[in-house]
Amino acid sequence: MKTHLRYSRQILIEHFGPEGQEKLLNAKVLVIGAGGLGCPILTYLTSAGVGEIGIIDFDVVEESNLARQPIYTINDVGKYKAEVAALYLRKLNPDCKTEVYTSKLDTENAFELISKYDIIADACDNFATRYIINDACIKANKPWVFGSIQGWEGQVSVFNYKNSPTYRDLYPESPADIDAPNCDDIGVIATLPSVIGSYQANEIIKCIIGSDKTLAGKLLLMDLYNNVHNVVKIKSESEERGANESREKRMSGNGERGTSEDSEISLEEYLSNKSDYQLIDIRQAHEFEDYNIGGKNIPYQDLITDSSSLNKDSKYAIICYRGRISKVLVNFLHEKHGFTNLKSILGGMEAAEGL
C-alpha cells in the first residue's frame, strides 16, 4: 500500500485503519455528473485516496454554476466540466487515476460504463437518468449512492447495496411520469450541494470498506433552512407486500376491513370527496404561502418529529410538491405511529396547477 502522509489521519480512526485505506486505493468509482453534487463527491473521494474515478458529464461550465460548483473558475466557462474536473483532481492527488466521459449516460451505454466500476455516485439532476442508473446497477450488481437537492432541502440514500432496496422501491414511477424540475427551475442555496455531496462521499467510502452502517434501506431528509435532519425507512417490494399482508391479517382479526387500502389518492378523487378529508400541505411555509389549494400547512419535518397534531379518527389527504415526499411520509407514519387514515395525493401540487 502506498504510504502517504495525506492519509495518516484517516488511517488512525476506528472502523477504517490501513485495511480501509487499501480498499480505497483499489476502488473504482463512477461519478455521474460533475456539477453541484459532483464537485464535493469528486473532491473528497480523490482527497481520501480512491484509486480510480470515472467522471461522466456532457455539460459545459456556465457562469451560473460557479456559486455552488467551486472547482470551476470564470476561466473555465464554456469548457467540458468532466475535463476541467479531471485536471483539478490530478493536481489534488496524483495517486488517483481519472477517466473522462463527455457523452450523456443513456440506456445504450449505461450498463457498459457502470460495469467497469465498483460503486456508482449519482450526482445528476434529473429523474430519468436515475432510473437508468438504478436499472443498470441492478443488472450489473453494483451499489449506488443517491443524492438530490432543491431549494434548502436534500436527500441521500444508498441503493442495491448488500441486497438493500432499490430506487424503484422508493419511487416506482417510470421516468416519463416524473420529469420533475431541477435546480434550474426552482433554485438551490449555494451551500446545499456541498453538504449533500459530502454525505454522499461519506456513504461511498463506507460502502467501499464494507460497512453495515450505511443509508441502505433508509432515506436521509435534510432541511438546512430549519436545521432538521430525519431518516425514514425504505421498504423493498417484498417487504411492502409482507407488511400489507400482515396489516390485512391484523385488520381482519380486529373485525375491521379485510384488505388494506392503498396509501395514495388521485387529486381528482380527493376533490370529488373533499368533504371527507382534512387536507395537510407538507411543503415549507413560504411555498404554501406562494400557492396552495387550501388546507393546513404543516411542514413534513414537523410531522416526522411530532405527529400529535393528527387525529387517528379523522381522514387526511397529504400533499407536497410532486407526491413523492408525501408518500414517504404517509408510509412512515403508518408504519411507525400506527396511522391507517392518511392518503398521499398523487402528483402533488404540480397536478393542481391550473385549477
Side-chain angles (χ1 to χ4, degrees), residues 232-233 235 240 243-244 246-248 250-251 256-257 259-265 277 303-304 307 310-318 325-345:
V232 297
K233 184 179 179 182
K235 287 184 178 180
E240 189 71 43
N244 287 340
S246 176
R247 190 181 301 114
E248 289 170 11
R250 291 199 307 272
M251 289 177 173
E256 300 179 33
R257 59 183 183 272
T259 58
S260 67
E261 296 182 355
D262 189 81
S263 62
E264 294 180 293
I265 185 174
Y277 293 92
L303 285 174
I304 287 177
S307 61
L310 302 182
N311 187 330
K312 292 183 179 179
D313 295 325
S314 301
K315 293 174 69 174
Y316 295 94
I318 312 297
I325 297 301
S326 57
K327 181 179 178 181
V328 170
L329 176 66
V330 165
N331 288 337
F332 172 77
L333 292 175
H334 279 184
E335 177 188 351
K336 295 295 185 181
H337 297 288
F339 286 91
T340 59
N341 54 331
L342 312 177
K343 295 278 192 179
S344 168
I345 295 182

Side-chain angles (χ1 to χ4, degrees), residues 184 286 300 303 308-309 338:
D184 291 340
H286 64 90
Y300 75 88
L303 285 174
S308 61
S309 58

Side-chain angles (χ1 to χ4, degrees), residues 267 270-271 274 279-298 319-320 348-350 352-355:
L267 179 64
Y270 161 71
L271 292 174
K274 194 172 180 180
L279 179 64
I280 304 295
D281 190 321
I282 62 169
R283 296 174 301 152
Q284 301 306 306
H286 64 90
E287 296 173 301
F288 179 78
E289 291 168 2
D290 183 54
Y291 174 63
N292 66 76
I293 58 170
K296 183 177 182 181
N297 177 225
I298 309 177
I319 193 167
C320 66
M349 287 299 301
E350 187 171 85
E353 288 181 1
L355 290 178

Side-chain angles (χ1 to χ4, degrees), residues 46-94:
T46 301
S47 297
V50 170
E52 185 173 336
I53 295 178
I55 312 166
I56 179 167
D57 196 315
F58 66 95
D59 204 0
V60 297
V61 179
E62 298 178 4
E63 189 172 353
S64 62
N65 302 146
L66 301 181
R68 64 189 184 281
Q69 300 175 24
I71 68 176
Y72 307 118
T73 71
I74 193 68
N75 295 325
D76 297 320
V77 171
K79 299 177 183 177
Y80 278 114
K81 289 182 180 180
E83 292 180 348
V84 176
L87 290 173
Y88 168 78
L89 299 182
R90 289 164 191 160
K91 294 177 182 178
L92 184 63
N93 187 354

Side-chain angles (χ1 to χ4, degrees), residues 17-134:
E19 298 83 5
Q21 191 62 55
E22 183 74 21
K23 290 178 180 178
L24 257 62
L25 290 169
N26 291 325
K28 297 180 179 181
V29 178
L30 177 63
V31 180
I32 301 173
L37 293 174
C39 285
I41 294 172
L42 290 166
T43 298
Y44 285 112
L45 292 184
T46 301
S47 297
V50 170
E52 185 173 336
I53 295 178
I55 312 166
I56 179 167
D57 196 315
F58 66 95
D59 204 0
V60 297
V61 179
E62 298 178 4
E63 189 172 353
S64 62
N65 302 146
L66 301 181
R68 64 189 184 281
Q69 300 175 24
I71 68 176
Y72 307 118
T73 71
I74 193 68
N75 295 325
D76 297 320
V77 171
K79 299 177 183 177
Y80 278 114
K81 289 182 180 180
E83 292 180 348
V84 176
L87 290 173
Y88 168 78
L89 299 182
R90 289 164 191 160
K91 294 177 182 178
L92 184 63
N93 187 354
D95 288 348
C96 180
K97 178 184 176 181
T98 58
E99 188 72 30
V100 172
Y101 307 94
T102 55
S103 56
K104 184 176 182 179
L105 188 81
D106 55 31
T107 54
E108 299 298 320
N109 61 19
F111 177 74
E112 181 182 358
L113 284 172
I114 284 171
S115 297
K116 297 178 182 179
Y117 294 87
D118 303 316
I119 186 167
I120 312 305
D122 158 42
C124 67
D125 61 359
N126 70 87
F127 286 88
T129 302
R130 292 188 185 116
Y131 281 91
I132 294 172
I133 296 169
N134 182 77

